[in-house]
Amino acid sequence: EVQLVESGGGLVQVGGSLRLSCAASEFTSATYAIAWFRQVPGKEREGVSCITSPSGTTYYADSVKGRFTISIDNAENTVYLQMNSLKPEDTAVYYCAAKYWGSRWYLAYEYHYWGQGTQVTVSS
């Protein structure tokens, strides 16, 4: 079973930056996807970004394109989400998730493994 541990959340002012990290235990296949989702109370979990292995293909929600960058350090099995130009609407609990198969990166139910979540708060 894949274990995921997020870190890097916190409180930041509007326009600021944060970098989230997702450390993953070893995968049993070289083909997998790791994504970031976020959720606010009363709303469904929203796909933010995804990166696939081994191709390195990346995906972003329209709301974060040009502001967020996802990357992977294969040697460390760690995925990063660099978040710049943060807005109050980015405030949420951010979750890291992983899956071995599935074609739609933004669908939460396709992911088999989840981290515990990390709070990101953007204050105005």
Side-chain angles (χ1 to χ4, degrees), residues 1 17 20 25-26 31 39 42 54 56 58 64-65 85 88 92-93 95 100-101 111-112 123:
E1 183 172 330
S17 298
L20 305 183
S25 60
E26 188 173 359
T31 302
Q39 190 170 26
T58 58
V64 306
K65 279 181 183 176
S85 303
V93 176
Y95 296 91
Y100 288 113
W101 50 266
Y111 288 80
H112 320 305
S123 67

Side-chain angles (χ1 to χ4, degrees), residues 1-18:
E1 183 172 330
V2 178
Q3 307 288 332
L4 302 171
V5 179
E6 303 104 331
S7 61
L11 174 64
V12 65
Q13 291 187 332
V14 169
S17 298
L18 282 175

Side-chain angles (χ1 to χ4, degrees), residues 32-35 49-53 56-59 70-72 79:
Y32 58 86
I34 296 182
S49 184
C50 175
I51 189 165
T52 63
S53 177
T57 303
T58 58
Y59 304 89
I70 192 169
S71 61
I72 188 168
V79 170

Side-chain angles (χ1 to χ4, degrees), residues 96-114:
C96 178
K99 64 176 180 176
Y100 288 113
W101 50 266
S103 59
R104 292 166 291 183
W105 73 267
Y106 49 88
L107 293 179
Y109 66 76
E110 288 199 355
Y111 288 80
H112 320 305
Y113 309 102
W114 291 85

